[in-house]
Amino acid sequence: MNKTINVTRSSMPTFEEYCEEIRELWDSRWLTNSGVKHRELEADLRAYLGVPHAVLYTNGHLALEHVLSALNLPKGGEVITTPFTFVSTTHAIARMGLVPVFCDVEETYYTLNPQKIEACITDKTCAIMPVHVYGNLCDVDAIAAIAARHNLPVIYDAAHAFGVLKDGVSVANFGTAAMFSFHATKVYNTIEGGALCFAQEGLEEKLNILKNFGQQGEDCPLVGANAKMNEFQAAMGICNLRHLPDEIAKRRRAALRYRQHLSGVNGITLCPEQEGVTPNYAYFPVVFDGYKYTRDEVFARLAAEHIVARKYFYPLTSKFTCYRDAADAHPTPVAAHVAQNVLTLPLFADLTEADVDRICKIILG
Ligand SMILES: *Cc1c(COP(=O)(O)O)cnc(C)c1O
């Protein structure tokens, strides 16, 4: 029987490298609350991403919630966002007492369509939250122009886009703030974790207060929570950052192999590479439209051979029970079409070219 191939597999340093990294924690007994590893990783990330500020979180979702909280958006304010995302994006908005307003995505990269944003703006709109979905770069220039025209902050959900560059500049540098997820399944992981990156002065201090119960000295100026990254997560991040270029290079090899097999096949659509963008090969989404098998049939054919692909993202977050009754005035037909037909294929650093060949043979067979 052929081995099971999962949709993803976490990148890890060697056991010895991680043990070496955490050794000093046994001496210091300082396990969390902005310890030495936490401070080191923040500095590493500022340097790697080229950003003035990087604040670490215990996960990416809380980072999203905390930046929305720190920006003092009015309760009941509307946040324009995409329904074609992991549900965390939408939940972060709703849980902060804000209203997600779903705007459609564009047809090639499935990111928020700037041409449809302005029709969603009302006098309640208080922010825009686009997603660099699959690591595809949003149209950051068009979105920045709209945001400037309407004086709106832009918070990028860059959970998929760690390592992605536009003309050599990290995606961390776009928008009012960018959130990265360092969850185990992402291109770069700290086991669980996340970060906010931004240039705005004064924001870092506020975020650091918020993520530590809102405490400042003996006072609590803010209603905070606990969202701190611990030292073991940070140590994993320090190790994994050393190997990131190598991990991305390995993902690239697998992704190019997929392209060799699947590009130009009738009824199969791949995301073209983006001009000026250095990708991170986070996911390999394939849209089956007019192909001899439907998306669900391809999913089942792979599953029968112990290969786990994912209907990622299906359904749209706007269709979940907790959102579908909310007023949704804006139709999102492009997002709906992609969600109905897309499958993300297994992609991780250790995926061999032989694995990719086997997967494609089943898809094409
Ligand atoms: C993974 C992910 C998140 C949440 O990140 P966690 O670190 O798992 O909390 C948010 N948005 C998107 C698009 C994601 O894929």
Side-chain angles (χ1 to χ4, degrees):
M1 195 181 83
N2 279 318
K3 67 175 185 214
T4 295
I5 302 179
N6 227 320
V7 70
T8 188
R9 191 162 184 272
S10 298
S11 296
M12 290 171 87
T14 63
F15 182 67
E16 290 73 21
E17 182 180 351
Y18 185 65
C19 287
E20 198 48 50
E21 199 62 49
I22 60 176
R23 184 181 300 280
E24 63 194 279
L25 303 178
W26 261 262
D27 300 327
S28 68
R29 301 281 161 133
W30 186 315
L31 306 185
T32 186
N33 287 34
S34 197
V36 57
K37 298 295 168 190
H38 185 285
R39 292 196 300 274
E40 183 178 336
L41 181 57
E42 280 187 344
D44 287 354
L45 291 177
R46 282 195 301 270
Y48 172 71
L49 298 167
V51 290
H53 301 280
V55 176
L56 293 173
Y57 286 87
T58 193
N59 60 56
H61 177 81
L62 285 171
L64 274 184
E65 289 196 5
H66 280 231
V67 69
L68 289 172
S69 170
L71 290 174
N72 274 338
L73 304 175
K75 282 271 169 284
E78 296 175 351
V79 180
I80 297 172
T81 189
T82 165
F84 189 69
T85 183
F86 181 53
V87 73
S88 168
T89 319
T90 312
H91 281 345
I93 296 168
R95 285 172 54 82
M96 290 297 100
L98 302 162
V99 179
V101 171
F102 298 110
C103 176
D104 208 358
V105 299
E106 60 84 53
E107 291 172 9
T108 311
Y109 299 106
Y110 320 135
T111 52
L112 203 59
N113 186 340
Q115 290 173 5
K116 297 190 178 168
I117 291 176
E118 282 188 305
C120 297
I121 294 180
T122 71
D123 55 6
K124 286 193 176 158
T125 305
C126 63
I128 305 174
M129 190 181 278
V131 180
H132 299 300
V133 68
Y134 302 132
N136 292 341
L137 187 79
C138 293
D139 189 343
V140 290
D141 295 333
I143 291 170
I146 293 165
R149 202 147 57 228
H150 298 271
N151 196 21
L152 296 169
V154 180
I155 301 116
Y156 278 105
D157 180 335
H160 298 173
F162 193 81
V164 176
L165 312 175
K166 177 182 193 278
D167 301 322
V169 173
S170 164
V171 295
N173 292 276
F174 301 113
T176 311
M179 180 281 288
F180 293 112
S181 164
F182 304 148
H183 184 260
T185 55
K186 304 301 205 275
V187 168
Y188 166 74
N189 83 79
T190 62
I191 309 172
E192 293 239 25
L196 289 172
C197 298
F198 50 89
Q200 191 173 305
E201 291 307 325
L203 190 56
E204 174 161 357
E205 189 187 15
K206 190 166 181 187
L207 289 167
N208 281 331
I209 292 170
L210 273 175
K211 79 176 183 188
N212 189 26
F213 302 99
Q215 299 177 111
Q216 188 181 38
E218 294 183 332
D219 189 21
C220 263
L222 300 168
V223 182
N226 180 3
K228 303 183 300 289
M229 176 181 279
N230 71 49
E231 290 291 276
F232 290 81
Q233 292 172 289
M236 182 64 98
I238 290 166
C239 294
N240 278 339
L241 198 55
R242 292 182 191 124
H243 305 290
L244 184 71
D246 193 37
E247 295 291 294
I248 291 180
K250 287 180 178 170
R251 285 174 170 273
R252 177 171 186 272
R253 198 167 55 200
L256 294 185
R257 190 77 169 188
Y258 272 126
R259 275 189 194 279
Q260 275 178 16
H261 286 296
L262 301 178
S263 56
V265 176
N266 230 330
I268 289 185
T269 306
L270 311 178
C271 287
E273 298 221 334
Q274 293 178 286
E275 208 177 314
V277 173
T278 309
N280 66 352
Y281 307 97
Y283 298 90
F284 200 86
V286 181
V287 169
F288 298 93
D289 184 12
Y291 186 56
K292 61 180 172 178
Y293 307 120
T294 64
R295 182 271 304 271
D296 289 356
E297 284 166 354
V298 176
F299 178 86
R301 286 173 66 85
L302 291 170
E305 301 286 339
H306 312 285
I307 294 163
V308 184
R310 275 190 75 182
K311 298 175 194 180
Y312 202 54
F313 297 96
Y314 171 84
L316 297 178
T317 67
S318 51
K319 300 299 176 203
F320 283 119
T321 302
C322 57
Y323 295 114
R324 68 181 170 215
D325 293 332
D328 185 6
H330 307 282
T332 59
V334 178
H337 183 263
V338 182
Q340 198 59 48
N341 297 293
V342 74
L343 202 60
T344 57
L345 301 180
L347 184 59
F348 44 86
D350 299 337
L351 189 72
T352 66
E353 293 189 333
D355 292 333
V356 175
D357 294 347
R358 181 156 82 85
I359 293 165
C360 291
K361 203 168 162 198
I362 295 164
I363 296 170
L364 297 170

